Amino acid sequence: TLLGHSPSSGFGSIAAHRRSHHTGSGHRRGGRRRRTTRRLPQNPRTHNPSIRRGIQVHAGLLPTLHAPHCGQAQYGVPDDQIRVSPFGPSSAQRDRPAAAVPAPPLPLRLLCVASDWERKGGDRAVSLWQRACESGLNAELTVVGSHPALPAGVTSRGVVDPTELATLMVQSDVLLELTHANAGGMTLTDAAHSGLPALATATGGVSDIVADGISGRLVAESGPVVDEALELLLSTEWRSLRDSTRRHAR
């Protein structure tokens, strides 16, 4: 049985075997009961608890240390039956373009990938870029995904396909992942595979993917996020983290 994972909820779908009864959804063949498979919704916390009655979870395979806590709390999965297998890159990233490290004085190229603008902290990324420029940093910000109106100077690429996103990651210097909630996600692992360090909030399973000082920098979610992120953005040699980021991803 595989316990799934959703970036939006921290613990997403779960395929579980349900005991079959003659009055239920199971079927009998040759006097034997068959086991049926049901898929629970992406956010079991808000789903009717009656749906989980009768579900027997035998084991779990999850991508971050954050997700097993959800599995234990929601479904009572024993600790010794849970294994953590970290995310790998998406298929589009495996054949990534060769990284071209820019030489100064090129601007620091910031990338924000936010399909869910509010949850992913899109406003934080824009505010960080504005304050960095006011502080004298030569920086550019590119936004990928659906978003509200952006201030002048920000480049919008809209929704892009995986190949174009992989190219943007190679061409960028810092991924801004100042999210309010994130159980992990492919954006961080794809970025690391491209040698793109992340400036991210330490929430959910993010700290299982981003190694502070090796593949990026982490800020606490519960503080002045933009203030702390600005300090790290200005004080970190981001381009020097490319190689260590890629090694960490492997």
Side-chain angles (χ1 to χ4, degrees):
T1 302
L2 180 65
L3 278 70
H5 167 274
S6 167
S8 62
S9 65
F11 183 80
S13 61
I14 167 176
H17 291 300
R18 180 170 183 164
R19 294 184 182 275
S20 301
H21 303 279
H22 66 281
T23 58
S25 59
H27 303 281
R28 289 178 179 268
R29 286 187 181 177
R32 294 186 302 174
R33 291 177 180 172
R34 295 179 61 202
R35 291 193 298 180
T36 58
T37 300
R38 298 191 59 191
R39 186 168 293 279
L40 299 186
Q42 286 192 343
N43 192 349
R45 296 186 181 88
T46 59
H47 197 269
N48 190 330
S50 65
I51 295 297
R52 295 198 293 271
R53 294 197 186 101
I55 297 295
Q56 183 179 12
V57 178
H58 303 287
L61 178 66
L62 300 111
T64 69
L65 291 172
H66 170 71
H69 301 316
C70 300
Q72 293 157 1
Q74 294 292 328
Y75 296 96
V77 185
D79 291 347
D80 61 356
Q81 295 301 312
I82 290 181
R83 298 292 183 271
V84 176
S85 179
F87 277 124
S90 65
S91 58
Q93 291 289 331
R94 295 194 177 104
D95 298 322
R96 59 181 174 80
V101 180
L106 291 179
L108 190 69
R109 298 165 299 181
L110 312 177
L111 178 65
C112 174
V113 181
S115 56
D116 184 345
W117 184 257
E118 183 176 352
R119 179 180 65 84
K120 295 281 279 185
D123 288 341
R124 287 174 169 176
V126 172
S127 177
L128 175 62
W129 168 75
Q130 290 175 322
R131 292 185 55 184
C133 292
E134 293 169 358
S135 300
L137 179 67
N138 183 15
E140 298 176 348
L141 175 62
T142 298
V143 173
V144 172
S146 302
H147 53 75
L150 298 172
V154 177
T155 300
S156 171
R157 298 299 292 266
V159 179
V160 301
D161 61 42
T163 301
E164 185 176 354
L165 180 58
T167 300
L168 287 172
M169 286 182 171
V170 169
Q171 295 173 345
S172 299
D173 299 309
V174 187
L175 174 70
L176 300 182
E177 188 80 2
L178 302 178
T179 179
H180 294 274
N182 193 348
M186 296 301 297
T187 301
L188 288 169
T189 54
D190 286 352
H193 185 76
S194 299
L196 176 61
L199 176 54
T201 46
T203 181
V206 172
S207 57
D208 294 333
I209 299 174
V210 179
D212 193 29
I214 298 175
S215 63
R217 300 304 306 271
L218 295 172
V219 298
E221 160 62 19
S222 59
V225 172
V226 176
D227 290 344
E228 294 181 9
L230 178 62
E231 182 177 348
L232 291 176
L233 185 66
L234 297 176
S235 62
T236 303
E237 293 293 335
W238 292 98
R239 288 162 183 157
S240 68
L241 293 180
R242 281 182 176 275
D243 289 340
S244 60
T245 297
R246 194 175 294 109
R247 285 195 299 271
H248 180 73
R250 295 174 180 172

